[in-house]
Amino acid sequence: MAGRILDGKKIGAAIRADAAEAAREFARSGRPPGLAVVLVGDDPASAIYVRGKIKASREAGISSETHRLPATTAAPELAGLLDRLNRDEAVDAILLQLPLPDGLDASEFLARIRPDKDVDGFHPENVGRLVAGLPGPCPCTPAGIMEMFRREGIEVKGSRAVVVGRSDIVGKPLALLLLHQHATVTLCHSRTRDLPAVCREADILCTAIGRPAMVRADAIREGAVVVDVGMNRAENEADVRDFFGDDEKRLARFRRNGYTLVGDVHPVAMRERSSAYTPVPGGVGPLTIAMLLANTVALAVARQSDR
Ligand code: GUN
């Protein structure tokens, strides 16, 4: 079986179009929705993500601002910036890009963001709302995956879902969202015994572990839906051949750039064993950005109706 591609670019574009429409509607109140992104330090991957987020928000009619702070930023300075953004009436949504540099405790600063401006849903109050099944902002990647299931007609109710990776950003919230949609959920991690056997139970297999092609054919049930959140660099030719076989285009790209991207799931196994799968890149990534826009507009609307 060759699984159908769950095209994150296409689905993301549809979510973005809806967010843009909602942003236009909101702007009739006198100003566009406002997003503030805070980037501390010089993690190259974070810088790329933030550029993508800002570009997408501008395209959707969201007014955005980036605050770039050096890696040497002291805690009171970052706290002061967040306090200012919390007070700024034109800022509806605040995103503190993670990871923070060593020495800055992410949990302290995530808790400092006003819960009603917390676009990632990482504030403890919003985490609690998610656990309790109450409305509130939901982490963008898991929310994007659930929105993809909805738009693609993938039945979650009654399914066996296995989530590999227990991060606060993806694994934990995704497991909760699947549970709220009536899946039977198993949340796995690095200490899970016989991980492939657990994964093989899955009708819906989601991976967010950051290990290149670690999940192989023996972990994928024939016909499963596979959602690969991983975005890893393969940096040597033997790995690239192992992961992609003799895909000459991929090898050429690898030789040109010195690396190629691969998810957490072996790409050939994923394509051949699944009924549907998210490619890497072009699967989950665009959904995350799309949901950031949707969350920003939703926060703007919610704050407006609270006034
Ligand atoms: N770093 C990696 N993913 C994310 C995300 O979804 N939100 C934030 N704030 N930082 C991230």
Side-chain angles (χ1 to χ4, degrees):
M1 176 189 280
R4 88 185 151 94
I5 292 177
L6 298 168
D7 182 345
K9 282 193 203 147
K10 202 174 96 202
I11 304 161
I15 298 170
R16 283 161 66 156
D18 289 350
E21 174 61 38
R24 272 194 297 278
E25 179 70 25
F26 177 86
R28 292 207 191 110
S29 70
R31 64 164 181 86
L35 168 69
V37 177
V38 179
L39 174 62
V40 190
D42 33 38
D43 180 67
S46 290
I48 293 170
Y49 292 144
V50 164
R51 268 204 301 279
K53 289 171 182 180
I54 293 292
K55 180 168 176 284
S57 57
R58 296 230 164 102
E59 285 167 5
I62 291 168
S63 154
S64 56
E65 57 190 56
T66 314
H67 298 265
R68 291 189 177 77
L69 302 179
T72 51
T73 299
E77 201 181 329
L78 178 55
L81 171 61
L82 294 175
D83 291 349
R84 247 189 305 124
L85 296 172
N86 280 339
R87 285 192 302 268
D88 188 337
E89 272 307 308
V91 171
D92 299 293
I94 302 171
L95 184 146
L96 176 60
Q97 183 66 28
L98 302 176
L100 293 180
D102 288 347
L104 294 174
D105 174 13
S107 62
E108 175 188 339
F109 297 102
L110 293 174
R112 196 155 188 124
I113 296 171
R114 264 173 65 159
D116 63 349
K117 292 191 176 191
D118 169 29
V119 74
D120 275 310
F122 293 161
H123 187 286
E125 181 178 316
N126 289 324
V127 175
R129 298 184 76 84
L130 174 60
V131 173
L134 296 170
C138 239
C140 299
T141 301
I145 292 168
M146 299 307 290
E147 185 62 19
M148 173 182 73
F149 290 153
R150 197 180 68 76
R151 289 179 186 241
E152 291 290 304
I154 290 168
E155 175 89 306
V156 174
K157 189 159 114 189
S159 68
R160 280 178 176 266
V162 173
V163 178
V164 189
R166 55 179 157 180
S167 71
D168 294 337
I169 295 181
V170 182
K172 273 192 235 170
L174 180 57
L176 284 163
L177 289 172
L178 287 161
L179 184 64
H180 292 329
Q181 293 288 311
H182 314 291
T184 301
V185 183
T186 305
L187 181 53
C188 303
H189 46 77
S190 54
R191 314 269 170 90
T192 298
R193 221 178 296 137
D194 198 355
L195 181 65
V198 181
C199 292
R200 270 199 309 276
E201 293 282 308
D203 304 311
I204 297 176
L205 175 62
C206 305
T207 63
I209 46 179
R211 298 280 177 86
M214 191 183 110
V215 175
R216 318 284 287 205
D218 65 343
I220 304 171
R221 178 195 194 120
E222 184 85 41
V225 172
V226 182
V227 177
D228 188 349
V229 182
M231 179 82 85
N232 312 295
R233 282 177 174 224
E235 292 180 332
N236 74 68
E237 183 155 341
D239 282 348
V240 177
R241 284 190 185 279
D242 172 25
F243 301 157
F244 297 98
D246 292 326
D247 179 343
E248 287 306 325
K249 270 200 212 148
R250 181 70 72 152
L251 278 164
R253 261 208 313 276
F254 164 72
R255 290 192 185 114
R256 200 168 52 240
N257 301 332
Y259 71 91
T260 187
L261 291 174
V262 64
D264 296 333
V265 185
H266 190 284
V268 175
M270 178 160 71
R271 189 177 65 235
E272 290 182 352
R273 292 188 63 78
S274 70
S275 58
Y277 69 97
T278 57
V280 177
V284 173
L287 301 175
T288 300
I289 294 193
M291 286 314 293
L292 170 66
L293 310 183
N295 279 1
T296 298
V297 182
L299 289 178
V301 170
R303 247 165 37 84
Q304 186 183 50
S305 64
D306 282 349
R307 274 199 286 270

